[in-house]
C-alpha cells in the first residue's frame, strides 16, 4: 500500500492507493498558485525531486510531498515602442521566479488588458507610462515601462506661392523631441528644397525652405522621421503665376 501526505495549504497528490507487489506505482504532486513542489520523502529521507515519482512496489510506504512558497521575483516590463501613431504597441512581462502568476496591464491612459503579453493602439501621440501587476495569490509585484507614440505634423508657412517664390516648410515631431533628424523629399512637382534633412530644435520642429520654379506647379513634399520611417506626413505647395493688375484668378 502507498499512502501520501501533503500540507493543507497545497492542493493534492495523486497516486496513493493499493498497489500489487512488484508493480510500478506512480505518485504525482500538483502545486497551488504561489507554491512550488520541493520533493517526495519517505521516513524523512528524500526519494525524488520530481513531481511525478515512479517506483517498484516492494513494501508499504508513506510518501510525503513537500511544497514551498514561490514568491514573484524579478518582474520586468518591456514594450515595442517607439510606435507610429495608429499602430499597435506590444507589451511583454517576464519574471525571474514564481508560479501560477497572473498579469494585469494598465496602459497609462485608462485602458487595460490581462496576460503576460498584450497589445494596445494608443489614440494620440505622447509618452505614456504603462504598468503591469503580477499576482499569484501569495505575493504580488509591479513594474512599469515608458511608451513613445510618435506622429509628425508637416506644414508650409503658406499653402500657395508665386513662381520663383520661396516658402518655409516645417515638420513638428509629436511628442516634441530635440535632435531628431527629419528627411524632406520633393516627391512630385518641380522646384528645389534647401536641404534633404533637418534636425529638430527644442520645440521638436525641423525646418527647410522650398523654392518654386519659374513655372506653375504643385509640389508634393514628404517629411519622414529618419529613425522611424513609418512616421511621415505630406505637404502640398501650389505655385501659381502672379496676378497682374486688371486680371482675376
Amino acid at each position: 500500500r502507498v499512502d501520501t501526505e501533503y500540507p493543507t495549504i497545497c492542493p493534492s497528490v495523486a497516486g496513493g492507493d493499493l498497489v500489487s507487489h512488484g508493480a510500478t506505482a506512480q505518485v504525482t504532486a500538483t502545486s497551488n498558485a504561489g507554491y512550488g513542489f520541493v520533493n517526495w520523502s519517505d521516513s524523512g529521507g528524500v526519494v525524488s525531486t520530481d513531481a511525478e515519482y515512479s517506483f517498484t512496489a516492494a513494501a508499504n510506504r508513506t510518501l510525503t510531498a513537500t511544497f514551498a512558497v514561490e514568491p514573484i521575483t524579478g518582474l520586468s516590463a518591456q514594450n515595442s515602442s517607439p510606435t507610429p501613431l495608429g499602430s499597435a504597441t506590444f507589451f511583454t512581462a517576464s519574471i525571474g521566479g514564481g508560479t501560477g502568476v497572473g498579469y494585469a496591464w494598465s496602459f497609462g491612459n485608462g485602458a487595460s488588458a490581462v496576460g503576460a503579453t498584450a497589445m494596445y493602439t494608443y489614440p494620440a501621440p505622447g509618452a505614456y507610462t504603462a504598468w503591469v501587476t503580477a499576482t499569484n495569490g501569495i505575493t504580488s509585484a509591479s513594474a512599469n515601462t515608458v511608451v513613445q507614440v510618435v506622429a509628425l505634423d508637416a506644414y508650409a508657412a503658406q499653402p500657395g506661392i508665386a513662381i520663383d517664390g520661396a516658402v518655409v516648410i516645417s515638420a513638428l515631431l509629436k511628442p516634441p523631441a530635440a535632435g531628431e533628424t527629419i528627411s524632406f523629399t520633393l516627391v512630385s512637382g518641380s522646384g528645389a528644397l534647401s536641404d534633404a534633412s533637418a534636425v529638430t530644435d527644442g520645440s521638436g520642429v525641423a525646418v527647410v525652405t522650398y523654392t518654386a520654379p519659374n513655372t506653375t506647379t504643385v509640389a508634393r513634399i514628404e517629411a519622414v522621421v529618419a529613425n522611424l520611417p513609418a512616421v511621415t506626413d505630406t505637404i502640398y505647395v501650389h505655385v501659381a503665376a502672379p496676378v497682374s493688375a486688371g486680371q482675376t484668378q
Side-chain angles (χ1 to χ4, degrees), residues 30-69:
T30 304
S31 303
N32 265 344
Y35 295 88
F37 174 78
V38 178
N39 58 46
W40 286 104
S41 60
D42 186 352
S43 301
V46 175
V47 294
S48 178
T49 56
D50 296 326
E52 291 187 359
Y53 170 46
S54 298
F55 57 93
T56 300
N60 290 341
R61 302 182 69 179
T62 298
L63 298 173
T64 300
T66 300
F67 299 84
V69 172

Side-chain angles (χ1 to χ4, degrees), residues 138-202:
I138 303 298
T139 57
S140 66
S142 295
N144 68 67
T145 179
V146 177
V147 182
Q148 291 286 337
V149 180
V150 182
L152 192 64
D153 182 14
Y155 52 92
Q158 55 193 76
I161 59 175
I163 58 174
D164 293 323
V167 66
V168 172
I169 305 297
S170 302
L172 170 61
L173 187 62
K174 300 178 179 180
E180 295 292 332
T181 299
I182 308 297
S183 299
F184 294 87
T185 304
L186 181 59
V187 178
S188 62
S190 53
L193 293 172
S194 61
D195 298 281
S197 65
V199 176
T200 57
D201 60 17

